Each structure stands twice: as structure tokens, then as C-alpha cells.
Amino acid sequence: MLNMQEINHRQESPAWRWLLATVFLFPILPEYISPFLLFAAFIVFKVQWSREGKKAKVGTIGKAVIAFMSLALISVLWSNTKLDTLGTAGLWWAVFLILVMIYNLADTKQKIDELLKSAVLSGVVNGIVGTVQVCSYALCKAGYISSKLVLPTPIYKDIDKAVYSWLPFDIMTNTFDDRASGFFSNPNLLATYLIFVYPLSVYLFLNAKTKKQKILYFAANLFISAGISSTMTRAGCVIVLVGWAFMFIVLIKRHGKALLKILLPTLIIIIPSMLARYGVISIPPNNPAGTGELPHEAATAAAQAAKQSSANHFVIWESVIDYITENIQVFFAGLGFGCESTGNFLLENYGLDKPHAHNFVLEIWAELGIIGIIAIFAVIVITAVMLFKTKAPSGKRYDLIFYIFTSLLMFLGFGLSDYIFNSPKQIILFMMFIGLTQAVSRCYEQNEPNYIEIHQGGKNTVREHAEMLT
């Protein structure tokens, strides 16, 4: 059993510092650089584990994920888009490393909180950048500032185009000047990450120990909400409001008043974004000569575009269901992992120029058939069961489990209107859920034996260890 000196050493170990850096920097660096940071971190972890004579464990859910990823890799045998299938499956195997690192390194409650803080801080940075992007665009459109002062969205726009044009295959680089993308490549990717960290920021706010911490985590939630609003992603905004309502209903007795403090800024920030997407409010353009589009015309166009976008989603879903149910092989085994196959049949068979099914259930079904759906839902169900089987009947322990579960629900809920496994920055979130779930389960399931053994070290040791576990 580790003594306190060994525990403190593990907390300051190179592998742990690399893991924290990866969690913070992965959502900030470009898609084509972030995975290499993870590889470097895993090498440091592996070297440290080898020196300590330990073997890296993947855990029960990790084994289920390996089964799903193996199916994805095997599907290259019947895929007509083999390069895309191999590359997409490879991305899953690559970001799986974060699951392994979290499960093995996050062995105390204190470490789990540090991981959550790193993820939330990265969300804050993205939220601030996204807010500046959309606000500077609005000020430029209204004629208050020069276009040179507009912060590009996405932030790596020019670098992305240069890198993607150099690659031997095509990657879409369409961007939206009026919708923030932060450090991500499009607004929906940014929304996915901010939806992931929103409940975690609420958890940190509710469980802050000092007034200063309360203010800091309240501000963090404010910036994350602003970031979600700046993406103008309708489903993302709705998911955040529904997620808050779910948290309030479940925890009304314990945190009702504190959650109401979160509600007001969330509503003030989120609602205008939804109204803007539906053309209820609009930015008046700089139109001194009286030419060009009038404000009411712009609002009407925005409303029509939003309604058309919603209608398009239903057309896509109907087309995907039609194709799957009309092809017995696709129904059971899919076309092969990767979105390219879905985009191909939507264009060739239905005249829809869409990259994916805009729904993670339908997309996985089209790629890996009903077998793939069963495999991915097995992972999700096992994750939820492990969370709620953890010994955490009340107090802060329950809060941690509940907010991780809420984050997972919101992540999957957003996936019903968009594909949430479309990039390494999205796939890694799923791996982080599983790593955190297994880490939380291990920390709390083992706390009683640990306490008994460390008790022999003296009262001070017992007190210090208890503080780490609660």
C-alpha cells in the first residue's frame, strides 16, 4: 500500500503532469497536432510504469471499447472506402490511450478533480475565444470596427487550409464567419466540447470550498455558456437548457438555490443565440448608402435558413433509414467504419451532399450495422451501470457521479442531431468519460481497505488520506 510520501510523488510524476497538459491542450491545438501530444504523453506514462514494474490496465469498460474498435477495424474487409475506414478506426485506437492513462493515473479523488479542472479550463479558453470571434464579427458587420480586427473563426483557418490541401485526400474546410468555432474546425465541434464541460463546471461551482473558488467557477460556467451561445448551434443551446433543468430537478433539495444562480446568466447568454438563429433578432449591417440587404430581410432569411436546416435533418434521417432497411447486409454489418461511405450513398442515391447522418445512432448503424449499434450501446450501458454502482450514496461523491453522468447524457443527446465521433477532439471525449468512470469507481470502491491499511501509519496519515478521498 502506498504511504503519503509515495502518493504525493505519484501526483507530481511526469506522467501525471503530461496527462493534465494533454487534457488541457488537446481541445486547443489543431486536429493534426493534438494526437501527437497524446502519443508523447503515453510514452512518458509507459516509461514511468515500466520503471515502477507495473502493467497498464484498461479496465472492464476498456475491454468493451476494444471489442467495438476491433469490429471497426475488421470492417475494412467489406468496406468500399478502405482508406477512410482504416484511418477512422486508427483514430479510435489512438485516442484510446487517454482512457488507459486516466484509469491508471487518476487513483485519488484529488486527481480526478484536477482532471476536471483542466478540462473546464480548456473549455473556458475556448469559450472566451469563441465569444471574441462572434462579437468581433458582429461589430465589424455593424461597421464599428475594421475587418482586420475580427478574430478568425476557426482560429487556425489559414493553417488548416494549407495542411489539408497538402494531404493526399480531400478534407472539407468549410467555415462559418458568423458562428464561432474557437480552436476547433467548425461550430458543432466546439459546441460538443463545451457541452461536455458545462455540467463539470457546475459541479466545481457547487462544491467549491471558498468564496474565491465560487466566483472563479461561476465565471468559468459563464464563459462556457457564452462559448456555446457563440456557436449558434441550436441543438447545443437546447441541450444546455434541458441539461440544467435535469440537474435542477434531481438536485433541487441539495443545490436548488445555487443552481438558480447558474440559470440566470445561462438564459441571458443562450436565449439570444437561439433567437438570432431563427431571425427573431439580427445584427443591423453597415449600410450607409441604403443599398444591400435590409435588417428585416436578413432576419427573414435567417429564419428560413434555420427552418430549412431542421427540415434537412429529417430528410437525411429518413434517407439513411430507408437505405439501411433496404439493404440486408448494411442492416446487419454496415458499409464499413468511417463517414465517407455514408456521404457517398446520401449523394449517389438521394442527391444529398451531406458528410454524415447527423445522428450518431444512424451513423454507427450505417457504418457497422446492428452489430455495431449493440456494441456501442453495450459500452454506454456498462459505463452508466458502473457509475451508479459506485459506493456514493450522498454528498460530494454523489455529485461527482451525477455530473459525470449528466455530461455523458448531454454529450449523447447532442449526438442525436449531429455526429459526435467525427474528429479526434470528439472521440477523445468518449474515452475520457470511460476513463473517469473507471477511475471514480476504483477510488471509491477501494477507499475502505485503503483507510484500514493506512490507519497503521498514525493519526496524521489517516487524516491526510481521508481528505484525499472525500
Side-chain angles (χ1 to χ4, degrees):
M1 183 59 60
L2 296 175
N3 58 36
M4 290 305 300
Q5 184 177 2
E6 290 171 326
I7 291 174
N8 289 332
H9 171 71
R10 288 274 296 279
Q11 287 179 322
E12 298 300 324
S13 68
W16 176 247
R17 291 196 296 270
W18 272 87
L19 176 58
L20 288 178
T22 302
V23 170
F24 172 72
L25 291 173
F26 204 97
I28 292 177
L29 296 173
E31 302 272 7
Y32 37 83
I33 293 179
S34 291
F36 293 101
L37 173 66
L38 176 56
F39 298 153
F42 188 79
I43 291 172
V44 174
F45 160 74
K46 188 61 178 173
V47 169
Q48 179 180 315
W49 239 231
S50 298
R51 287 177 178 174
E52 295 180 7
K54 297 180 178 180
K55 292 183 179 180
K57 299 178 180 179
V58 300
T60 303
I61 315 177
K63 293 175 182 177
V65 175
I66 288 176
F68 173 79
M69 296 191 303
S70 297
L71 173 63
L73 194 58
I74 292 171
S75 72
V76 73
L77 298 175
W78 61 83
S79 173
N80 291 327
T81 55
K82 296 186 184 300
L83 182 61
D84 181 59
T85 298
L86 191 61
T88 306
L91 281 179
W92 279 72
W93 282 96
V95 297
F96 179 76
L97 301 179
I98 197 79
L99 182 159
V100 179
M101 292 181 69
I102 291 175
Y103 179 46
N104 287 272
L105 290 170
D107 52 6
T108 67
K109 171 62 178 61
Q110 182 180 357
K111 286 186 174 182
I112 292 171
D113 270 4
E114 288 180 15
L115 283 175
L116 300 185
K117 291 173 185 176
S118 293
V120 168
L121 180 58
S122 190
V124 169
V125 174
N126 266 288
I128 292 173
V129 170
T131 302
V132 173
Q133 286 173 333
V134 77
C135 288
S136 60
Y137 168 82
L139 290 172
C140 177
K141 184 177 179 181
Y144 292 108
I145 63 173
S146 166
S147 59
K148 295 180 180 179
L149 297 178
V150 176
L151 189 63
T153 180
I155 203 77
Y156 302 116
K157 180 189 292 187
D158 294 334
I159 302 175
D160 289 347
K161 289 182 178 179
V163 171
Y164 294 150
S165 61
W166 175 78
L167 294 174
F169 46 85
D170 294 331
I171 293 182
M172 293 181 62
T173 57
N174 294 338
T175 58
F176 305 85
D177 292 334
D178 58 340
R179 297 174 59 196
S181 298
F183 291 96
F184 291 74
S185 57
N186 73 54
N188 286 353
L189 297 187
L190 174 59
T192 305
Y193 185 74
L194 296 180
I195 286 169
F196 161 68
V197 294
Y198 179 85
L200 304 182
S201 70
V202 175
Y203 161 77
L204 293 174
F205 169 73
L206 296 179
N207 290 279
K209 296 180 180 179
T210 66
K211 185 176 181 180
K212 182 179 179 181
Q213 289 178 343
K214 281 277 188 184
I215 294 172
L216 287 174
Y217 294 135
F218 181 84
N221 182 267
L222 198 69
F223 288 127
I224 290 169
S225 297
I228 294 171
S229 178
S230 70
T231 67
M232 295 192 180
T233 303
R234 289 161 298 157
C237 293
V238 171
I239 287 294
V240 167
L241 297 178
V242 172
W244 179 90
F246 175 67
M247 291 184 273
F248 183 76
I249 292 170
V250 176
L251 297 179
I252 186 171
K253 291 184 178 180
R254 178 173 167 79
H255 294 301
K257 292 182 179 179
L259 282 169
L260 286 174
K261 294 178 182 178
I262 291 287
L263 175 63
L264 185 59
T266 299
L267 288 175
I268 292 174
I269 292 171
I270 296 292
I271 296 298
S273 176
M274 298 179 65
L275 295 177
R277 281 307 305 276
Y278 282 100
V280 178
I281 60 176
S282 62
I283 303 168
N286 183 23
N287 189 24
T291 60
E293 192 174 42
L294 297 175
H296 72 275
E297 293 175 342
T300 302
Q304 291 176 344
K307 293 177 181 179
Q308 185 60 47
S309 176
S310 298
N312 288 342
H313 275 63
F314 285 102
V315 173
I316 294 169
W317 298 337
E318 291 173 1
S319 301
V320 173
I321 293 173
D322 178 71
Y323 188 83
I324 291 171
T325 54
E326 289 294 322
N327 296 269
I328 190 69
Q329 180 180 344
V330 177
F331 183 90
F332 285 105
L335 294 165
F337 207 47
C339 297
E340 185 178 352
S341 57
T342 306
N344 288 345
F345 83 69
L346 283 174
L347 182 60
E348 295 171 3
N349 294 67
Y350 301 95
L352 299 172
D353 188 11
K354 302 296 179 181
H356 49 69
H358 286 273
N359 179 293
F360 85 96
V361 178
L362 293 178
E363 183 62 41
I364 295 294
W365 195 357
E367 295 177 13
L368 295 177
I370 199 70
I371 300 172
I373 289 294
I374 292 172
I376 194 70
F377 270 94
V379 173
I380 294 170
V381 169
I382 295 171
T383 301
V385 170
M386 180 173 287
L387 267 178
F388 286 103
K389 283 183 67 177
T390 302
K391 295 177 182 177
S394 62
K396 189 176 179 181
R397 294 185 188 183
Y398 177 80
D399 283 356
L400 176 62
I401 291 168
F402 174 75
Y403 281 102
I404 291 176
F405 177 69
T406 302
S407 182
L408 176 61
L409 280 184
M410 291 174 64
F411 174 73
L412 296 175
F414 184 61
L416 296 178
S417 65
D418 195 64
Y419 188 47
I420 49 176
F421 303 125
N422 201 31
S423 77
K425 287 186 176 184
Q426 290 180 304
I427 301 168
I428 200 171
L429 300 181
F430 191 59
M431 300 299 178
M432 288 176 65
F433 280 123
I434 296 166
L436 285 169
T437 296
Q438 295 190 137
V440 168
S441 177
R442 182 182 60 176
C443 285
Y444 287 135
E445 289 296 326
Q446 294 179 356
N447 61 358
E448 292 178 4
N450 286 355
Y451 181 88
I452 293 171
E453 292 190 34
I454 289 183
H455 183 275
Q456 300 172 0
K459 295 182 178 179
N460 291 336
T461 304
V462 172
R463 187 181 300 111
E464 291 172 352
H465 187 68
E467 290 176 353
M468 296 177 66
L469 290 170
T470 56

